[in-house]
């Protein structure tokens, strides 16, 4: 992570609730995005020290791993998905921190639904588009964040 000192280790974790912005073209095919209600911006808790090295992003993308969600600056790869796979997703965040029996985390809901079969997954994808409720307090998701492509994020919605 560029903002972290290479010589002074300790306290170098990326922590807390952070936004992820989905690529525009992922709306038509991404299962994970549909599980998050089709939102352009999602908020998840982070607790990590490592990330995908920028030199490897293009190589991984050419092999079919689509990095469809990035941080607010477009620098960090937050969500990846294999397009034509029944359910192959990866998140840099830790959605398990906020999953609840009545409001399960979208990645886990998708995993269980996909393991139950394509029909169950399809039903959950449609249901989440209508019923997804973020597990985080609304006030925690309202930090205005200007992005490189001119979009300003306010809360869990995107405004051009």
């Amino acid at each position: 992570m560029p903002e972290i000192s290479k010589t002074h280790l300790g306290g170098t974790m990326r922590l807390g609730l952070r936004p992820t912005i989905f690529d525009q073209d992922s709306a038509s095919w991404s299962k994970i995005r549909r599980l998050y209600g089709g939102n352009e911006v999602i908020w998840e808790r982070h607790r990590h020290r490592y990330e995908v090295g920028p030199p490897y992003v293009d190589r991984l993308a050419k092999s079919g791993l689509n990095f469809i969600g990035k941080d607010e600056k477009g620098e960090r790869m937050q969500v990846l998905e294999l397009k034509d796979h029944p359910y192959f997703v990866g998140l840099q965040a830790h959605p398990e921190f906020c999953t609840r029996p009545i409001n399960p985390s979208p990645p886990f809901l998708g995993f269980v639904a996909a393991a139950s079969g394509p029909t169950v997954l399809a039903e959950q994808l449609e249901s989440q588009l209508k019923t997804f409720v973020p597990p985080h307090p609304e006030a925690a998701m309202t930090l205005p964040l200007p992005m490189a492509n001119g979009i300003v994020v306010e809360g869990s919605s995107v405004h051009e």
Side-chain angles (χ1 to χ4, degrees):
M1 293 183 277
E3 72 274 12
I4 293 176
S5 169
K6 304 292 187 228
T7 57
H8 296 90
L9 298 178
T12 59
M13 294 185 86
R14 189 164 168 79
L15 297 169
L17 190 63
R18 297 184 181 267
T20 295
I21 293 89
F22 282 111
D23 288 344
Q24 298 292 331
D25 64 342
S26 67
S28 64
W29 62 268
S30 172
K31 293 176 182 77
I32 193 71
R33 184 170 175 173
R34 282 188 275 166
L35 287 165
Y36 277 99
N39 293 331
E40 293 180 34
V41 179
I42 61 170
W43 293 78
E44 284 292 359
R45 295 221 9 232
H46 288 253
R47 184 176 179 80
H48 58 85
R49 184 170 279 120
Y50 303 103
E51 64 183 22
V52 177
Y56 297 101
V57 172
D58 286 337
R59 282 170 56 184
L60 291 168
K62 286 177 187 171
S63 72
L65 289 175
N66 298 290
F67 289 99
I68 62 168
K70 298 178 181 142
D71 73 341
E72 66 275 14
K73 295 179 183 174
E75 296 173 351
R76 289 189 174 83
M77 306 302 114
Q78 304 280 73
V79 178
L80 70 79
E81 185 169 355
L82 195 55
K83 189 173 185 176
D84 294 321
H85 191 277
Y87 191 75
F88 188 108
V89 299
L91 280 78
Q92 185 69 26
H94 286 272
E96 72 274 13
F97 289 159
C98 295
T99 194
R100 301 293 182 265
I102 302 300
N103 189 15
S105 173
F108 294 114
L109 177 64
F111 178 71
V112 172
S116 300
T119 304
V120 174
L121 178 59
E123 289 169 359
Q124 285 302 314
L125 293 173
E126 287 305 311
S127 175
Q128 286 292 99
L129 283 172
K130 299 172 190 162
T131 63
F132 172 71
V133 176
H136 313 291
E138 190 72 31
M141 302 185 295
T142 58
L143 182 64
L145 303 165
M147 289 180 38
N149 63 0
I151 296 174
V152 176
V153 179
E154 292 178 8
S156 57
S157 60
V158 175
H159 308 281
E160 293 192 48

